[in-house]
Amino acid sequence: MIDPISRSPVGPRRVHRGIALWLLLFPCLVCAGPVTVTTGKMVLEFSTIGGTLSRLEVCHPACDQSRPGSITTFRFHGETSRQSPIAVVIPGDDAMTRQIAGSDYSVDRSADDAFVTLIFESAPVESGVSIRKVYRISRTSYDIRLTIEVTGENRQRLASRHPPALRLLGTGDFLTTRESSGFAESYEGLSPVYAVGDDASVFDTGEDGEEAMTLSAPFWAGLRNRFWALLAHPVDPGRIRVTATSDEQTSSVTLSGAGEPPVHRFLIYAGPLQLDELKATSPSLTAFLYAPLWFWLRWLCFALYYPLTLLYHVTGNYGIAIILLAVVVKIAMSPLTAIADRWQRKVDTTRSALQPHLDVIKRNFRGEEQVKRIHALYGEHGTNMFYTLKSLFGFLIQIPVFIAAFYMLNENFLLSGVPFLWIDDLAQPDHFIRLPFTLPFFGEYLNLMPFVMTGVTLLASLSHDSGALSQDLRRKQRNHLFVMALLFFVLLYTFPAGMVLYWTSNNLIQLAKDLAGRVLPDPQ
């Protein structure tokens, strides 16, 4: 055998030494590469430099493309370890944080039916101090159990000076939201959030871009956008310093533990804001659903969510389920709307009787005399100046349902990516045609569904005929309904198509009811 470099014969001893050297080097080369874990819900890639999560892909319903059903994902791929979505940092000691992130880690991997376990052990980050990170990754859910431990004979020194902390980061392609126009900007965005018990809130980072508070475990804190969340829960009781930062490019939440021993354990949820998936990890995670609402409005959201889910399982189509939900809600509210309609007819009758006399009084009298005559007129008809408030009842009972329907449909993860008719995604505006220009507020797409909704609303306004009103008052009422229709067009133009479909169905039912009322006998 001839050595290609020296061109001299190679003896058996040199060959054996070369083979032995490659056998020693090969495991190290393998260890230096990324460590990949694939479960039913997630694909994770860790770097042995820093022992950090460098890639995270979360799928729903599963990462297996062969399974039926639409697959929606969010992905993260960090260019450096400092961009990891889940990282160990030392608050107040950037040098030590860089040392931890730049150290070489050995990795030990094991698995059972429930979890894949990775144990990363760092080289000494300073004399007598190392970092151990233990990831237990669920095979069937969106759970990651993380233990951070300071090891070594001098571990107490680092733990007492600057204990390690967990940082959750949203940046680059991770947890970013799509651009939106109009009022849609109010719900599209990345927010640092926390929840204690059933109360969830958004960190107020303000002009400084930072807010810090001390919370007593148990609690959840992290990042969320409209449909996805990265949240952490301290497993051990104690007081935790939580710091949230936010700017145009990134948002982060850091949980700084304290005390002895220098071991910190966290349960991490990286997945969709979907009721069943959240409850599978922890029932307390459901606090992040419909969080801005009062508790009774949240209950109303769930009261709409469950019938929609049932209707979907019956029909197999979310578009049809939304239409049927509008029918179910209309039927459920019919006792209240019947009362509202009866009160409205009485108000209309009283207004028609009073209006000619009021016009005469306002035309011929001023000041105190006018007020005196108007009060006398109300007394003659057995009413008072507040009689018209009864007509607001029908409007007021619809407001909570409208708000609950908006939040339920807007935050319904299962509508994401679901098509219906010409609508590609019920969780987004229908984007019927892309315009050659961008309109302020309205954006760059022509959305057809709001035009359909407004057309149905206008038809319902034209068909609405209160026989108790005079011709003049009927014309004024119709003008008010036209103005309301235009206001709803502007309000809902950039809203998700599923929400607009619901409101269109609601108005279509009202139109059918008014048309039926013309041919059926008056129930009064």
Side-chain angles (χ1 to χ4, degrees):
M1 183 180 296
I2 303 297
D3 187 331
I5 302 298
S6 64
R7 309 300 298 172
S8 61
V10 179
R13 185 175 297 176
R14 292 186 64 186
V15 172
H16 293 160
R17 283 202 303 265
I19 293 173
L21 180 62
W22 276 105
L23 289 174
L24 288 172
L25 287 175
F26 182 75
C28 296
L29 291 174
V30 172
C31 290
V35 179
T36 302
V37 176
T38 301
T39 70
K41 302 286 189 180
M42 296 182 286
V43 178
L44 307 95
E45 190 173 284
F46 296 86
S47 171
T48 53
I49 300 176
T52 54
L53 181 64
S54 57
R55 177 190 170 206
L56 175 62
E57 182 174 329
V58 185
C59 314
H60 189 277
C63 293
D64 184 359
Q65 298 288 338
S66 64
R67 289 184 56 176
S70 61
I71 295 188
T72 54
T73 64
F74 73 74
R75 298 180 178 88
F76 169 85
H77 195 98
E79 297 178 1
T80 68
S81 60
R82 286 181 296 176
Q83 292 180 317
S84 174
I86 302 171
V88 176
V89 298
I90 305 296
D93 194 335
D94 292 339
M96 182 56 68
T97 297
R98 289 192 297 269
Q99 180 69 18
I100 292 173
S103 296
D104 292 327
Y105 283 71
S106 64
V107 58
D108 178 49
R109 178 172 181 155
S110 61
D112 56 31
D113 292 340
F115 295 96
V116 176
T117 302
L118 300 177
I119 302 176
F120 288 91
E121 196 86 41
S122 77
V125 294
E126 64 177 38
S127 178
V129 177
S130 298
I131 299 294
R132 178 184 293 133
K133 307 175 186 178
V134 181
Y135 296 89
R136 298 190 71 221
I137 304 159
S138 172
R139 288 184 175 275
T140 58
S141 64
Y142 298 98
D143 300 356
I144 303 172
R145 289 163 169 79
L146 172 61
T147 300
I148 306 167
E149 183 178 2
V150 182
T151 63
E153 58 185 8
N154 294 326
R155 63 183 181 274
Q156 301 296 342
R157 185 173 61 191
L158 179 65
S160 60
R161 188 170 75 243
H162 289 304
L166 172 67
R167 185 198 64 193
L168 306 179
L169 179 67
T171 184
D173 294 331
F174 181 66
L175 285 178
T176 55
T177 54
R178 62 178 72 191
E179 293 184 2
S180 55
S181 303
F183 292 114
E185 294 180 355
S186 63
Y187 58 79
E188 292 281 11
L190 177 62
S191 303
V193 294
Y194 66 96
V196 179
D198 293 330
D199 296 325
S201 302
V202 177
F203 283 99
D204 183 12
T205 53
E207 296 181 358
D208 297 335
E210 180 176 307
E211 183 182 15
M213 63 177 63
T214 300
L215 297 175
S216 295
F219 65 87
W220 287 90
L223 304 167
R224 67 161 293 177
N225 60 22
R226 183 179 167 202
F227 286 139
W228 300 94
L230 178 63
L231 303 163
H233 167 72
V235 174
D236 300 310
R239 294 177 65 79
I240 307 293
R241 184 71 170 172
V242 184
T243 304
T245 63
S246 183
D247 56 37
E248 294 181 358
Q249 285 76 38
T250 63
S251 293
S252 70
V253 171
T254 303
L255 290 78
S256 305
E260 304 294 341
V263 178
H264 308 284
R265 297 184 298 164
F266 299 93
L267 173 60
I268 298 172
Y269 179 84
L273 288 164
Q274 198 273 326
L275 180 62
D276 294 335
E277 302 292 358
L278 293 169
K279 290 171 67 176
T281 295
S282 172
S284 58
L285 277 172
T286 59
F288 290 102
L289 292 174
Y290 325 125
L293 301 179
W294 291 319
F295 72 94
W296 60 274
L297 274 175
R298 292 186 69 236
W299 292 348
L300 189 54
C301 288
F302 289 115
L304 295 176
Y305 173 84
Y306 287 112
L308 177 66
T309 304
L310 176 62
L311 291 168
Y312 167 72
H313 288 304
V314 171
T315 63
N317 185 293
Y318 265 113
I320 296 174
I322 290 173
I323 295 172
L324 293 178
L325 178 66
V327 176
V328 170
V329 171
K330 203 73 172 179
I331 294 173
M333 293 184 63
S334 58
L336 291 177
T337 55
I339 295 174
D341 290 344
R342 187 164 63 251
W343 287 0
Q344 183 66 55
R345 284 193 296 270
K346 290 181 179 180
V347 169
D348 290 344
T349 301
T350 303
R351 285 182 65 189
S352 296
L354 291 175
Q355 196 61 46
H357 303 289
L358 288 172
D359 291 341
V360 172
I361 292 173
K362 291 178 180 179
R363 189 166 53 245
N364 297 319
F365 301 95
R366 295 289 184 272
E368 186 177 345
E369 182 64 24
Q370 183 187 90
V371 174
K372 185 186 300 184
R373 289 181 175 270
I374 289 176
H375 277 291
L377 178 64
Y378 286 147
E380 292 173 8
H381 288 79
T383 186
N384 57 62
M385 66 178 65
F386 301 110
Y387 77 96
T388 56
L389 293 180
K390 283 187 176 182
S391 65
L392 295 176
F393 180 69
F395 178 70
L396 293 176
I397 62 175
Q398 291 190 59
I399 290 179
V401 178
F402 176 82
I403 294 174
F406 166 74
Y407 273 92
M408 187 275 293
L409 293 170
N410 181 57
E411 292 190 13
N412 195 324
F413 173 82
L414 297 178
L415 297 181
S416 180
V418 176
F420 180 66
L421 301 177
W422 71 87
I423 304 166
D424 292 330
D425 187 347
L426 283 170
Q428 298 294 330
D430 63 89
H431 292 170
F432 185 64
I433 297 175
R434 186 165 190 164
L435 302 173
F437 47 83
T438 300
L439 291 171
F441 182 84
F442 295 99
E444 58 182 344
Y445 287 95
L446 173 67
N447 299 325
L448 182 59
M449 201 68 218
F451 286 95
V452 176
M453 176 197 69
T454 304
V456 172
T457 305
L458 292 176
L459 285 175
S461 301
L462 290 171
S463 67
H464 183 72
D465 184 16
S466 176
L469 284 177
S470 65
Q471 190 67 29
D472 184 56
L473 290 175
R474 195 178 307 161
R475 185 177 63 256
K476 290 181 179 179
Q477 184 188 64
R478 190 165 292 169
N479 289 338
H480 290 157
L481 293 174
F482 286 171
V483 172
M484 289 292 294
L486 293 177
L487 287 176
F488 269 92
F489 174 82
V490 175
L491 174 67
L492 299 182
Y493 186 82
T494 56
F495 276 16
M499 175 62 200
V500 185
L501 176 63
Y502 173 83
W503 197 244
T504 303
S505 303
N506 186 76
N507 291 337
L508 192 60
I509 296 168
Q510 184 62 45
L511 173 61
K513 178 183 175 183
D514 290 340
L515 293 176
R518 293 188 174 190
V519 297
L520 296 176
D522 194 336
Q524 69 177 350

